[in-house]
Amino acid sequence: MRAVFPGSFDPVTLGHVDIVRRASALFDEVIVAVGSNAAKAPLFDLDQRLALLRAATEDIDRVVVEPFEGLLVDYCTARQASVVVKGIRGPGDAEYELQMAQLNAQLTGLETVWLPTSPQWAYVSSSRVREIALLGGDVSGFVPAGVAGVIAAAAAKRRSGDV
Ligand code: PNS
């Protein structure tokens, strides 16, 4: 069975990598689908988010990283994926994700499987990582090796008004 793990991944965190690793043990193939959340201003453009994710997941078997746009259900139909995987950190995620899962099921019958976030990453989110980085903090404990430096450089550039 082919699963899709969708998100904006701005940037990828150790919580995301944990979900990809665990999903790859459950499904034949995992497509990490990188989209854009219209409600959030991105720190990284799509190409940067794809590159960081590919580097962070290169040691995990049967994982591909792809961009997607439009409706998630249409993308899953096109890629012949019958299930979506989501990591759930707590009740806040569940409330938000339940509505999306139910809407997606109603639209095309797309199923959603929730993986409870591993406790050590339950407090990590891309938006907090962005906030810490933009304010000059160290995010190396929350993101894959090699990503922290890229994030710090992007945040410094943003703070200096270059971007
Ligand atoms: O990491 P995020 O910000 O939660 O990712 C959100 C994303 C891009 C996965 C979500 O916004 C999404 O699925 N967008 C596709 C548009 C869509 O299908 N919307 C209807 C969902 S019911």
Side-chain angles (χ1 to χ4, degrees):
M1 189 181 280
R2 179 181 283 167
V4 166
F5 176 36
S8 42
F9 303 104
D10 182 41
V12 57
T13 67
L14 288 169
H16 293 136
V17 176
D18 178 61
I19 295 294
V20 176
R21 201 175 295 284
R22 288 162 56 203
S24 81
L26 294 173
F27 299 101
D28 300 314
E29 185 182 18
V30 177
I31 303 176
V32 184
V34 185
S36 296
N37 185 331
K40 298 180 192 165
L43 177 60
F44 292 103
D45 67 27
L46 180 62
D47 285 345
Q48 290 172 312
R49 286 180 276 139
L50 288 165
L52 292 176
L53 257 166
R54 287 187 177 124
T57 58
E58 65 183 357
D59 68 319
I60 309 174
D61 290 338
R62 295 171 285 100
V63 171
V64 293
V65 177
E66 289 183 354
F68 92 100
E69 56 185 4
L71 279 179
L72 181 62
V73 288
D74 292 339
Y75 173 76
C76 289
T77 301
R79 298 296 281 110
Q80 295 179 296
S82 51
V83 60
V84 165
V85 175
K86 289 276 185 154
I88 301 293
R89 289 167 293 198
D93 281 350
E95 190 173 348
Y96 173 76
E97 296 292 346
L98 181 61
Q99 184 189 32
M100 289 222 277
Q102 289 171 328
L103 286 165
N104 287 334
Q106 172 84 26
L107 285 168
T108 63
L110 182 65
E111 287 288 8
T112 300
V113 168
W114 288 353
L115 294 181
T117 298
S118 296
Q120 68 265 41
W121 309 125
Y123 57 90
V124 176
S125 70
S126 292
S127 49
R128 290 293 176 223
V129 166
R130 284 198 303 279
E131 182 179 339
I132 293 166
L134 285 167
L135 294 171
D138 175 14
V139 297
S140 58
F142 315 126
V143 298
V147 174
V150 180
I151 295 171
K157 210 169 167 186
R158 179 70 62 92
R159 283 199 306 277
S160 73
D162 276 9
V163 188

